[in-house]
Amino acid sequence: MFAINPGTARGSHIRVALYACISDGSDPQAALDALQTYATAQQWTVTAALYDVGPLDRPKDKRPGLTRVLRLMEEGRIGGLVTPSVAHLTVALPLRSRAAGGFISYAEVITS
């Protein structure tokens, strides 16, 4: 999996999932809304919006939202993932299998 610059892969035919790990007590919907706005601006089709609550270093097997996102990528149901930063995925990198063929876009959105 690789990160791309915003705008290098645009178009509504690109299916993505949104994912955030909420570790600071903020509203998960606010984070997902910001990621949705970013994905829409790229003209991507959002097919899933998932989040986990807890510390960013929580193991992947304790993060059902991340597990589901990775499964969607491995199954080829999405071609990319939109997340605020690499910190939200560190416990899952490097990715394996078919997920490695997708892309990650770091929206770097600020929610508060």
Side-chain angles (χ1 to χ4, degrees):
M1 200 169 256
F2 58 93
I4 61 169
N5 292 326
T8 59
R10 290 185 179 219
S12 59
H13 65 282
I14 298 172
R15 295 179 321 235
V16 299
L18 312 176
Y19 175 76
C21 184
I22 308 303
S23 61
D24 62 1
S26 62
D27 178 17
Q29 192 58 52
L32 294 176
D33 288 347
L35 294 173
Q36 173 74 47
T37 298
Y38 176 85
T40 299
Q42 306 311 309
Q43 301 175 4
W44 295 331
T45 300
V46 175
T47 62
L50 300 157
Y51 68 90
D52 291 307
V53 176
L56 292 173
D57 62 352
R58 176 175 280 166
K60 184 177 70 166
D61 64 335
K62 304 282 189 201
R63 290 168 63 175
L66 179 58
T67 300
R68 180 68 183 135
V69 164
L70 296 176
R71 186 172 302 127
L72 290 170
M73 292 193 88
E74 289 173 351
E75 294 171 353
R77 299 172 123 198
I78 59 172
L81 173 60
V82 180
T83 190
S85 74
V86 70
H88 293 250
L89 304 176
T90 301
V91 297
L93 298 175
L95 299 180
R96 63 186 193 286
S97 183
R98 287 180 53 178
F103 68 86
I104 302 172
S105 183
Y106 301 112
E108 297 183 25
V109 295
I110 298 173
T111 59
S112 50

